[in-house]
Amino acid sequence: MLERQGFHRDLTCESCVGSNRHRGSEQRIGTKNENEIRENMSDRKTVVVGMSGGVDSSTAAYLLKEQGYHVIGVTMQIWQEENECQMQAEGGCCGISAVEDARRVAEVLGIPYYVMNFKDVFQKKVIDYFTAEYLAGRTPNPCIACNRYVKWESLLKRSLEIGADYIATGHYARIRRLENGRYAIATSVTAAKDQTYALYGLTQEQLSRTLMPIGDYSKPEVREIAERAGLPVAHKHDSQEICFVPDGDYAAFIERDTGRKMPEGNFVTKDGKILGRHRGIIHYTIGQRRGLDLPMGERVFVTEIRPETNEVVIGTGSDVFTDTLKADHLTFMGIEDLPMGEEEHFLAKIRYNHRGTGCLVKRTGEDEITCTFEEPVRAVTPGQALVYYRDGYVAGGGIIRE
Amino acid sequence: MIYLDNAATTRTDPEVAAEMLPFFSENYGNPSGIYGIAQKSRAAVTAAREKTAHVIGCRSDEIYFTSCGSEADNWALKAAFEAYSEKGKHIITTKIEHPAILNTCEYLERERGAEITRLDVDEDGVVDLRELEAAIRPDTILISVMTANNEIGTIEPIREIGEIARRRGVLFHTDAVQAFGQIPMNVDELNIDMLSASAHKFNGPKGAGFLYIRKGVGIRSFLHGGAQEHNRRAGTENVPGIVGLGAAAKKAEETLVRKMEKETRLRDYLIRRIREEVPNVKLNGPDPADAKGGERLPNNVNFSFEFVEGESLLIMLDMRQICASSGSACSSGSLSPSHVLKAIGLSDSLAHGALRLTLSAETTAEELDTTVEAIREIVERLRGMSPKYEAYRNGTLESET
């Protein structure tokens, strides 16, 4: 419903003041809105932009500067040292080259730029969690943990310390204040690049102090703005893999990180019949079909991982579909709460690239919801987030337990 | 701008820069040539060598120009390790050396089979001489201890270390990058066999350094190639850089006493004011007010501000145009707690709250007044937003200072 009301009516969100959200007037791309500028100049707000050296965050910094903010660029150093050379070669999002790219952009924009160190918190809240989840047979989403604890909790704290009013990022998402007074993240205008899923865990306080200036643009538009602004990263490739595992080999990373070789074990059927040997549970995730090497005559999938017995359960197509799941570690964004026993209708995503399925979400415990889908969903994976939406904004979420 | 990061680098003295300029586009000859402009280059390099040698009381043919202090450190350690491998593979150093020493030692240990003893230091950062002597073994080939520490300004008992090394027949190298041109040094009085220094730390240009190698020390070339630097360091001489190094060395020698007096006075003023005006601070490194404590570089001040993230403090100082550092410039990229502050026993949180202010002969008392004002306000603001400080005020967290 809010979607249909249009943006202007919802501009109660303080954090959006100055953000260039007037779509449909294409000539505005990269230009200033005079009223907004004047407003900002009288009480010029300071915003720290988290700069990865990529085109998205660089353009975010540019847009904010154009809108009259006092912009400070910051690159969060979260992962380096041992893998420095590899990171440089890969050009991922947190290596030396990222810092140098971000520094160059800051130079072009004429904004102060700093590197802040968040390695401790990244290790504790992201890498340790990532490893522990895999060892427990689950499939974590480290970007969610990074967003919540590193990009927001830590960066916001530091930014407020040094006198900033807001932080800003290059996410393709929009922050809005709803009629109920709550802040929520709305999906980007370009569904192809929607990044709301990994941001569901942000708190109200964090959202009220966050700007996402490129949420109203599509990727090609952002590249165009960057090019017109002369940013030296306009044509840089996007990073794809998880930043601290640039080669995508999670299992090898976990074995390096823990210093342990994971034991082999058995592939079994649901009923315990042994089908063959697996290479260690961290090599598998629910729904996986490739690399199983099982001569079964039909297409088979990983349907369950049992860390206590070191077994990987194999099933057929129908076994990877479920219509209900339970989630915990609940957080709420667009809605304040879901009272015990009540159920409401939402659209839910069970993984980053899931398009979303209609469902009923019911509060079934102090820290538990049960989600019943209108049609079966494929490969519900413990450890991933369940994020449920209403009218395009994030209502709440949790971690899939079973 | 108030520049208080002179341990990271210094302003090239305009007189020094002026001396360098003719060697870019006028006297650009290669010192190895036979024609006029080459001879001028050669003469200038020789003059620079003599000026440099004069500062530390050595012969000019014992000075070998390098590209930087780190190259000199690498050369001293790696070449000594190779040249004396028949005697042994043991090297003694300390835990508070510059990464140019520490990482070279680590390389020798990992790749070349060296055995490294890394000595502890006391809470002022001073090496224990008895421990040092006890660490010497029959196969010890080299002792490498810095003259002065870059982060906390501790001056090590170099004369005594050199004396022990000489008595026990072990080579002694010192990384004097922070000390050369800042305090008086004489290689004979201090029993130094090898000494590294870098021009940009004493108002010379970047990209020029030297290694002093005492006559008779049999280390060989590190960079192989042409016959430059008495066949020991190949590569066409960086003539402008070397000229600048020589000019800066000469000027440092001439102004040393006055500069030390002025810096010491300002240093003690800055320390006193911070102590008196900012609560919950700890001076890292020797306390000049403590007669029994170790010696401290005249230009170094290093404080930990409890309940404060040093990074935020630095950024906010930068916003006020005050240039300072949290430790060594080289580690600010990594920002894991400083190995030096850890070695003197600081907790991680105190180490994270460290601020280094390093003065120059050009620093004024007014600049320090502005800086103290800024620090006071910023620290108050940061503490006002710190849950730890709140816990301390409520009595649920104890102070470490």
Side-chain angles (χ1 to χ4, degrees), chain A residues 46 70 72 74 77 80-81 112-120 157-164, chain B residues 307-309 311-316 318-319 332-337 348 352 381-382 385-387:
Chain A
T46 298
H70 175 231
I72 299 172
V74 165
Q77 194 155 60
Q80 207 197 316
E81 264 158 21
Y113 171 80
Y114 304 101
V115 178
M116 288 186 182
N117 176 27
F118 294 105
K119 279 200 240 174
D120 278 3
K157 180 173 173 291
R158 289 277 185 86
S159 300
L160 296 178
E161 268 185 15
I162 64 167
Chain B
F307 316 115
V308 165
E309 196 64 58
E311 215 169 76
S312 300
L313 176 54
L314 274 184
I315 289 174
M316 295 190 75
D318 178 53
M319 289 173 170
S332 58
S334 68
L335 275 158
S336 36
D348 275 7
H352 276 305
R381 173 189 167 88
L382 294 176
M385 300 172 81
S386 155

Side-chain angles (χ1 to χ4, degrees), chain A residues 21-247:
Chain A
R21 42 175 44 255
H22 304 277
R23 297 277 310 157
S25 48
E26 293 302 318
Q27 75 276 17
R28 279 186 190 282
I29 291 177
T31 65
K32 305 171 188 186
N33 177 312
E34 293 303 326
N35 290 331
E36 285 171 355
I37 297 287
R38 218 162 290 133
E39 212 173 280
N40 286 319
M41 284 306 180
S42 58
D43 179 23
R44 208 158 161 241
K45 298 280 189 188
T46 298
V47 55
V48 163
V49 182
M51 294 177 70
S52 69
V55 64
D56 299 335
S57 54
S58 300
T59 305
Y62 167 74
L63 289 173
L64 290 168
K65 184 163 187 250
E66 286 297 294
Q67 287 156 21
Y69 285 92
H70 175 231
V71 179
I72 299 172
V74 165
T75 296
M76 289 172 275
Q77 194 155 60
I78 51 181
W79 180 254
Q80 207 197 316
E81 264 158 21
E82 298 91 346
N83 289 28
E84 199 171 292
C85 300
Q86 190 180 17
M87 290 304 302
Q88 258 179 299
E90 298 287 328
C93 89
C94 2
I96 290 284
S97 70
V99 170
E100 290 318 318
D101 283 344
R103 209 189 288 281
R104 274 169 63 213
V105 170
E107 192 70 35
V108 169
L109 295 178
I111 59 171
Y113 171 80
Y114 304 101
V115 178
M116 288 186 182
N117 176 27
F118 294 105
K119 279 200 240 174
D120 278 3
V121 62
F122 190 76
Q123 178 70 42
K124 268 181 226 144
K125 298 285 193 180
V126 181
I127 295 180
D128 291 354
Y129 147 83
F130 176 80
T131 305
E133 286 285 286
Y134 258 109
L135 294 180
R138 294 187 287 265
T139 306
N141 185 326
C143 299
I144 289 174
C146 179
N147 280 335
R148 178 161 185 180
Y149 296 110
V150 184
K151 287 199 177 139
W152 266 269
E153 199 168 294
S154 302
L155 178 64
L156 183 58
K157 180 173 173 291
R158 289 277 185 86
S159 300
L160 296 178
E161 268 185 15
I162 64 167
D165 302 291
Y166 301 111
I167 61 171
T169 66
H171 279 96
Y172 286 88
R174 295 169 294 155
I175 296 169
R176 305 161 59 185
R177 195 159 193 182
L178 307 176
E179 283 171 336
N180 62 6
R182 290 182 68 82
Y183 291 97
I185 293 191
T187 46
S188 162
V189 289
T190 56
K193 254 295 182 180
D194 175 46
Q195 293 172 333
T196 56
Y197 175 81
L199 297 171
Y200 83 91
L202 302 191
T203 66
Q204 291 294 301
E205 164 70 11
Q206 289 167 347
L207 291 171
S208 74
R209 294 191 170 274
T210 302
L211 308 179
M212 292 180 175
I214 66 162
D216 288 325
Y217 299 107
S218 68
K219 185 85 187 188
E221 285 173 332
V222 165
R223 283 200 189 278
E224 199 188 316
I225 295 169
E227 187 155 347
R228 231 181 285 166
L231 304 184
V233 290
H235 300 287
K236 213 177 148 185
H237 290 297
D238 290 349
S239 48
Q240 292 296 341
E241 292 292 347
I242 291 173
C243 70
F244 56 93
V245 196
D247 61 358

